[in-house]
Amino acid sequence: MIYADVVIIGAGAAGLTAAQYLARAALQVLVIEERAPGGQAALIEVLENFPGNIASNDRAARSGSELMDDMYRQAQHFGAQFLIDTVQTVQRGVDGLWQILRAVGEPVSTQAVIVATGTKHKTLNIAGEKELTGRGVSYCASCDGPFFKGKKIVVVGGGDSACTEAQYLSGLTDTVLLVHRRGELRAQKGIAERVIHNPHIALRFNTVLVEIRGENRVSTVLLETDGKQYEEHAEAVFVFIGAVPSHSFLPALCCDEEGYIVTDQTMASSLPGLFAAGDVRANPFRQVIVAAGEGAVAAHSAVLWCQNQR
Ligand code: NAP
């Protein structure tokens, strides 16, 4: 059994910030991440609303992956340890410590846990979506957009993600079709305005994507507007219809109606010694800067928790 004073699950903006603060407070901190560090922020092409991240004459605003890489190296620099593994369960041991069981490595015991696992993207669950994922259907514009330079791209959704990513994709092709089920965009006004005035993005409101068609790759989409179905040519479909929180490994705890973890303002969950920060937490404004701020607060609370346990 490995021991760490605090275990952080998830290495996105919240987890990396918490790791840095805890390591600087001289606690033994272990971060367990399923994939590569960086989280969803690392997929954002230009993180233009992160404070201080502004283009200047000699350099562009940094990408999400550059910023997250810096956060990762900063946390390591101060002494945080990182493991790549999948957390299977988190449970309270008889000794009062939390025990974390992993898919591959040995269990970890710890005084405090910070859950910073973010969200997983939602899927449309329509015909052709699963079959053509990786063959034109994608959930990541910066990962897959460059494969579709100059091609006809359909984006589904009307929130910040769909609009931000449609804007990015419109730099790769002149023909982005944004399909949204309602009559107006849900995105923040500034983000929505840019999409509305972008000559390379066509908006199709009150429209649903019914089916994605193609033999080995996407070739057409079946759309429905005002009860009428019609087929249109498309070579890629990017789906940005929101996300669901990712914490199925936790014991029962207080969540909101959408499953996001409810905490108090110190980021303490309903389970003593277990904190949550970032997109996995019930919070109406999911932004990278908010996740980082919550990570710092959760770290401070975990430090106080550990001091009180001694
Ligand atoms: P979101 O805000 O929940 O928006 C999801 C969009 O997808 C909505 O327009 C919704 O339609 C639509 N939708 C949901 N289910 C659908 C379905 N089955 N079929 C068709 N359309 C469907 O999700 P998000 O855009 O991923 O954003 C998530 C969070 O991250 C938000 O808090 C957002 O502010 C934040 N974010 C911020 C930035 C930024 O500031 N730059 C960038 C990305 C994300 P309705 O409108 O009809 O519900």
Side-chain angles (χ1 to χ4, degrees), residues 40 44 46-49 119 121-126 156-165 179-188 191 207-209 239-243 258 260 279 283-288:
Q40 293 201 5
I44 300 172
V46 182
L47 204 49
E48 65 172 14
N49 61 0
T119 55
H121 63 74
K122 280 190 197 164
T123 55
L124 287 161
N125 298 325
I126 57 169
V156 186
D160 286 343
S161 298
C163 290
T164 306
E165 303 308 322
V179 172
H180 181 36
R181 65 184 179 182
R182 283 198 297 142
E184 60 181 353
L185 297 171
R186 171 202 283 264
Q188 297 168 63
I191 298 174
T207 298
V208 292
L209 179 57
V239 182
F240 301 108
I241 58 165
E258 291 177 275
Y260 290 93
D279 285 6
N283 157 26
F285 197 46
R286 296 195 171 85
Q287 302 283 300
V288 180

Side-chain angles (χ1 to χ4, degrees), residues 163-214:
C163 290
T164 306
E165 303 308 322
Q167 188 73 23
Y168 163 67
L169 291 166
S170 74
L172 301 174
T173 181
D174 286 345
T175 45
V176 175
L177 175 66
L178 185 93
V179 172
H180 181 36
R181 65 184 179 182
R182 283 198 297 142
E184 60 181 353
L185 297 171
R186 171 202 283 264
Q188 297 168 63
K189 198 161 180 264
I191 298 174
E193 286 292 318
R194 258 183 283 167
V195 164
I196 290 165
H197 295 113
N198 186 326
H200 305 302
I201 302 176
L203 294 165
R204 191 78 52 84
F205 286 129
N206 302 310
T207 298
V208 292
L209 179 57
V210 178
E211 187 178 337
I212 305 168
R213 294 176 173 169

